[in-house]
Amino acid sequence: MLDQIKGLHHVTSMAASAGINNRFFTDTLGLRRVKKTVNFDAPDVYHLYYGDEVGTPGSVMTYFPFPHIARGRPGTGEVGTTLFSVPEGSFGYWTDRLTKAGVEGLKADNAFGENRLHFAGPDGDGFALVEVKDDARAPWTGNGVGEAEAIRGFHSASLRLRDEGATAELLKYMGYSQIDAKDGVTRFGIPGGNGADVIDIETMPNISGARLGAGSVHHIAFAVENREKQLEVRKALMDTGYQVTPVIDRDYFWAIYFRTPGGVLFEVATNEPGFDRDEDTAHLGEALKLPRQHAHLREALEQHLEPIE
């Protein structure tokens, strides 16, 4: 069993409009845009990152906004819901805020003894807030959400699978242990993790496979401290039979990817070097930052990409 993984690093999804996506995460949810860059493989498309003040691993939601992309079809083989941690007692505030913002799909429930407030993103994305007592992670409050209500980072992510067996074994190998199981959902967690250290598996044997599109999660990334730990994880996964990519430099972290038995794309990303490697912390996410291989495209990209504040 591995011990290098400490929880989530980031979750990356698809969107249809950069402007709408940016306003939702900054104005509505109150997160900070910590990086404005482009997709490594499609530089005419933004890659936007939202999180806490510095983009701490475990707080970062990222998006590829492909203009006019068709909406995804929910199903199995994907991340169904991404859940954020908020302070206990803050649901009244969030219900009012999301209602006034016209956010759809608001629904309160309770799972595993935790209060949850579900809501949909602009492209039908599945989200929920979870009230967590004594989450010590520092929130970003620069977009008008107070410290007593602000998002602390991820709480968890829920995987929708037709069969949990092989993926459950993978999570256990990655350092997760089963915490509980109820109503077709099995909960896994990492003791002493980074706060974003819970994964739920929803078993849906009669549901068809998901189709990737706007509102879909493209991949989910797990956090390791550094490249040395990442290489240890890569070797262990390959020795177990997984097809893992070489290490890829993503400017703000190094990444490896592999497809899980249930169909979800997993990434293992380093906490280093961080989002302040090319911007001062006070100005994160303001300027368009380009990967070295796309630097020569700056003039064309600045004319092509949708302006966002």
Side-chain angles (χ1 to χ4, degrees), residues 33-65:
R33 192 179 70 224
V34 295
K35 195 62 58 179
K36 180 171 68 170
T37 183
V38 296
N39 187 311
F40 272 73
D41 302 314
D44 59 335
V45 173
Y46 276 122
H47 192 177
L48 303 176
Y49 294 76
Y50 312 98
D52 64 11
E53 182 179 11
V54 297
T56 304
S59 78
V60 183
M61 191 79 208
T62 99
Y63 270 87
F64 302 136

Side-chain angles (χ1 to χ4, degrees), residues 137-290:
R137 292 177 290 174
W140 170 250
T141 58
N143 289 340
V145 180
E147 184 172 353
E149 296 84 24
I151 290 171
R152 266 47 183 178
F154 294 124
H155 169 274
S156 58
S158 181
L159 312 182
R160 292 192 190 120
L161 306 179
R162 298 194 74 175
D163 184 326
E164 75 164 45
T167 301
E169 290 305 311
L170 170 62
L171 288 173
K172 292 175 184 177
Y173 185 68
M174 291 169 60
Y176 285 81
S177 57
Q178 183 173 329
I179 299 172
D180 203 348
K182 187 176 181 182
D183 299 328
V185 180
T186 306
R187 169 156 289 191
F188 299 85
I190 295 181
N194 65 1
D197 44 30
V198 173
I199 297 290
D200 289 336
I201 294 182
E202 301 178 66
T203 303
M204 300 178 168
N206 300 316
I207 303 300
S208 60
R211 183 184 63 209
L212 189 67
S216 302
V217 172
H218 184 271
H219 63 268
I220 181 172
F222 297 84
V224 292
E225 183 180 354
N226 53 40
R227 296 185 71 185
E228 179 183 0
K229 300 292 187 183
Q230 183 184 61
L231 289 173
E232 293 171 359
V233 171
R234 182 175 187 269
K235 182 180 185 304
L237 288 168
M238 293 182 70
D239 288 347
T240 310
Y242 285 95
Q243 301 296 314
V244 187
T245 67
V247 176
I248 301 172
D249 183 357
R250 295 304 194 195
D251 283 353
Y252 311 107
F253 48 87
W254 283 272
I256 56 174
Y257 303 86
F258 64 103
R259 187 72 63 176
T260 65
V264 181
L265 182 60
F266 276 12
E267 174 183 347
V268 178
T270 61
N271 291 349
E272 59 179 10
F275 293 100
D276 60 354
R277 66 171 294 274
D278 59 359
E279 285 182 297
D280 182 84
T281 299
H283 299 285
L284 287 178
E286 294 179 6
L288 176 64
K289 296 295 181 180
L290 298 178

